[in-house]
Amino acid sequence: MTNDARELLPIRLFTQRTVDEKRVEGGPRDESPAWVLAGEALEERAKSLRDGLTDESFLERHNPDLPYTFEVVLDNDDTAKSKRGAVVDMLSPSGSGSSYVVGMRGATGLILRLPTRESVELVASRMNEPDRYGAPITCVLRIGPFRPEVDAVVGIGSNAALPAIVRRVCADGAGQIESYGPKTDMQLGGARVISTPRHYAYLKIAEGCNNRCHYCAIPLIRGPLRSREIKDCVAEARWLAGEGVKELILVAQDPTAYGEDWGKPGAVCQLLDELQAIDGIRWIRVLYAYPERITDEFIAALVRNTKVVPYLDLPIQHCDDAVLKAMNRRGGRKEIEDAIHRLRKAIPGITLRTTLIAGFPGETEEQYAELCDFVKTMKFDRLGCFAYSAEENTVAAKMDGQLDEETKQRRADHIMELQAEVSAEREGEKVGQTLECVCDGVDDETGMYLLRSKADCPEIDGNVLTPADTPLETGAFYNVTITDSDTYDLYGYVEEKLED
């Protein structure tokens, strides 16, 4: 890569899935579309690229249905900004009201997304007659199947090679680097950096997923389920405790499937038993438990291990049996309701969080209405609803009955309005109670202390706010009496600091 290109494109290293679907059809790797540079903005080099775009041999070597990312750079002079608007118009499909321009770079750059062969031909033809549009393009920087600002594309199977890749990217003339490797090569354990505040940390107990929900790309990105050994998880948890971590948050794509790849379903129960015995850990929180795997044994493990807080994230996605079947979920409404009732009976006061998808392909108004009624009836303590988004290469993305964006977003927004009423009611019930809370620090906007109860997961749930007139210690635990509430937060005053 030339030095002038480096000035336009500062080094960025992305780890993302970009494999066969973004490559040339057939042929070895070195036949993939090359980046074409016109680093010195010479007209003959720009013309050469324009001619290449319309050359049949170039187009025939590439899948015409794959999107390309294309960067255009104008002369870096005082008139560049005024030229750019005209270029946007020039490089857009006529009369469509849309644009191929999807981003800007600095004062003189444009990022284009060209989804089809026809769009490539259109842009190429217009670049051949730039003066006709009053905004000559003086430099086409590069074209290829990846974003222009990406210097390296690294799959999770090459994580161990990242230091070497960074060194290569920083070396002059390294060009663009691709490195993938089998997803199963990703190490599950090893040394780590604690990126959260010192008093809480996430412990990943498994990688990948075998559920194959039709809307989800995680198996494509992260691969199949691979559970970490119990002794490995426990060793990391002990190390975290030694570093001052007091709240341990267990995460995986599906923690309730932990151990199934060893032929030992329900191994998460044994893991919880062993984590309970670690000195220094005060709270253990489990996220993303699938309702069809909420066994009596799992509930019993939540109950007997007193460090496990009465909180469970239970992503159900929908309640209608037909929609759940289309999603390739394993259970139906009966299984979901049964899991919720058993949890609430065994653990009085348990906080249940869930996630819903509105506007899944084929979702009817009747099925959506059923979901709304379900939200009002089940009264989840925490709930997030998202408009369905088609993930590349998933089964759902290719289904008939795709709904328009406005309908999907309207449905998701209405569900969140319904949940806001439920949440305000749930929070109001806590006024007058005294709750064990951990201090996360000070709110920059209000100057009040931010605390969390056992019912609040960091970063996704609300807070317990107290006045700053009494100094509190970040990471310390306090009894807080609740005096007021709003939709998602509680307010109160500290009664006493609790001993570690």
Side-chain angles (χ1 to χ4, degrees):
M1 185 175 295
T2 59
N3 290 332
D4 51 323
R6 283 279 181 207
E7 292 174 2
L8 286 168
L9 303 176
I11 293 174
R12 296 185 185 182
L13 184 66
F14 286 2
T15 301
Q16 63 183 49
R17 82 181 190 285
T18 311
V19 201
D20 292 338
E21 69 270 16
K22 293 187 181 296
R23 302 196 56 78
V24 62
E25 282 197 61
R29 174 162 294 188
D30 60 7
E31 290 184 14
S32 61
W35 294 110
V36 182
L37 300 178
E40 297 177 2
L42 298 177
E43 178 57 27
E44 57 267 30
R45 296 184 72 179
K47 182 178 183 301
S48 173
L49 175 58
R50 292 198 295 268
D51 293 342
L53 279 173
T54 53
D55 179 71
E56 282 300 312
S57 63
F58 177 94
L59 291 170
E60 290 301 324
R61 291 201 312 270
H62 302 77
N63 184 340
D65 298 322
L66 293 183
Y68 287 88
T69 304
F70 193 66
E71 179 154 341
V72 172
V73 180
L74 308 179
D75 269 337
N76 191 10
D77 58 25
D78 294 337
T79 64
K81 288 185 179 180
S82 61
K83 291 178 181 179
R84 186 158 65 177
V87 174
V88 170
D89 293 337
M90 182 185 84
L91 300 180
S92 301
S94 301
S96 68
S98 62
S99 176
Y100 293 135
V101 178
V102 295
M104 307 290 185
R105 176 180 288 283
T108 62
L110 299 171
I111 307 294
L112 281 70
R113 183 80 162 169
L114 305 181
T116 63
R117 172 175 177 160
E118 289 73 20
S119 62
V120 172
E121 291 175 336
L122 173 65
V123 168
S125 65
R126 292 186 177 181
M127 287 171 58
N128 278 327
E129 298 181 290
D131 291 335
R132 173 180 168 191
Y133 299 91
I137 299 171
T138 56
C139 176
V140 178
L141 188 57
R142 52 184 179 173
I143 180 173
F146 308 119
R147 290 186 61 84
E149 63 267 33
V150 177
D151 288 276
V153 180
V154 184
I156 64 172
S158 292
N159 276 7
L162 281 173
I165 291 171
V166 171
R167 287 193 293 269
R168 287 180 59 196
V169 164
C170 293
D172 288 338
Q176 188 180 49
I177 298 171
E178 297 177 57
S179 180
Y180 304 108
K183 294 178 175 63
T184 51
D185 283 356
M186 181 180 179
Q187 296 180 0
L188 299 182
R192 60 171 287 186
V193 174
I194 302 174
S195 59
T196 53
R198 185 169 176 264
H199 57 285
Y200 70 84
Y202 297 90
L203 176 65
K204 179 167 258 192
I205 64 173
E207 185 61 85
C209 185
N210 292 341
N211 290 333
R212 299 288 173 178
C213 300
H214 284 168
Y215 51 81
C216 183
I218 286 175
L220 301 174
I221 302 170
R222 314 301 289 186
L225 172 67
R226 291 186 299 137
S227 304
R228 293 177 65 180
E229 292 185 13
I230 289 179
K231 64 179 181 180
D232 188 30
C233 294
V234 172
E236 182 173 330
R238 284 204 180 99
W239 175 79
L240 290 169
E243 294 295 308
V245 169
K246 300 175 182 178
E247 179 180 4
L248 199 61
I249 305 169
L250 272 57
V251 293
Q253 276 73 41
D254 179 2
T256 44
Y258 178 77
E260 287 186 0
D261 51 320
W262 312 329
K264 190 177 179 182
V268 68
C269 301
Q270 179 185 346
L271 177 60
L272 290 175
D273 290 342
E274 298 201 24
L275 295 176
Q276 169 77 20
I278 297 177
D279 292 336
I281 299 297
R282 189 183 185 106
W283 288 355
I284 299 172
R285 193 181 300 273
V286 182
L287 298 186
Y288 320 127
Y290 277 56
E292 62 270 18
R293 292 191 175 96
I294 304 297
T295 63
D296 291 341
E297 292 76 16
F298 176 70
I299 295 176
L302 300 181
V303 172
R304 69 174 173 264
N305 291 300
T306 55
K307 291 182 180 180
V308 177
V309 297
Y311 177 107
L312 200 61
D313 191 313
L314 199 69
I316 65 171
Q317 311 306 343
H318 213 282
C319 68
D320 179 81
D321 286 344
V323 175
L324 290 168
K325 183 177 180 180
M327 290 178 169
N328 200 35
R329 301 287 290 188
R330 296 191 180 188
R333 178 166 182 159
K334 181 179 181 299
E335 287 77 14
I336 292 171
E337 291 181 339
D338 177 66
I340 293 170
H341 292 322
R342 286 186 293 115
L343 284 164
R344 286 176 169 169
K345 180 179 179 181
I347 311 173
I350 187 173
T351 297
L352 294 180
R353 159 175 276 282
T354 197
T355 306
L356 302 176
I357 296 174
F360 189 77
E363 182 190 57
T364 66
E365 286 290 349
E366 291 76 19
Q367 291 166 332
Y368 167 65
E370 180 185 352
L371 185 60
C372 292
D373 290 339
F374 186 82
V375 169
K376 292 185 285 186
T377 302
M378 297 308 297
K379 294 185 182 296
F380 287 94
D381 302 271
R382 315 275 188 250
L383 184 148
C385 183
F386 303 92
Y388 168 75
S389 176
E391 295 291 331
E392 186 179 7
N393 292 328
T394 59
V395 174
K398 304 170 186 176
M399 286 181 174
D400 295 332
Q402 302 285 335
L403 304 183
D404 62 84
E405 296 298 326
E406 182 179 355
T407 298
K408 293 188 291 186
Q409 195 59 56
R410 171 179 56 79
R411 292 181 179 182
D413 290 344
H414 180 58
I415 288 205
M416 290 308 298
E417 291 171 0
L418 296 176
Q419 176 60 25
E421 297 178 9
V422 174
S423 179
E425 177 185 338
R426 288 293 206 193
E427 297 296 87
E429 293 170 355
K430 299 174 184 177
V431 174
Q433 298 180 14
T434 298
L435 306 176
E436 179 181 337
C437 298
V438 62
C439 180
D440 282 340
V442 177
D443 182 11
D444 293 334
E445 293 184 5
T446 65
M448 301 180 75
Y449 281 106
L450 293 173
L451 297 92
R452 288 181 294 107
S453 71
K454 295 178 180 179
D456 305 307
C457 185
E459 303 182 58
I460 57 176
D461 293 328
N463 292 101
V464 179
L465 290 87
T466 67
D469 49 5
T470 301
L472 303 182
E473 178 185 345
T474 298
F477 289 77
Y478 299 87
N479 275 336
V480 179
T481 296
I482 306 304
T483 58
D484 199 4
S485 67
D486 58 26
T487 305
Y488 299 110
D489 296 317
L490 299 174
Y491 303 85
Y493 59 90
V494 171
E495 294 279 4
E496 61 180 340
K497 182 179 178 180
L498 300 175
E499 297 297 325
D500 291 336

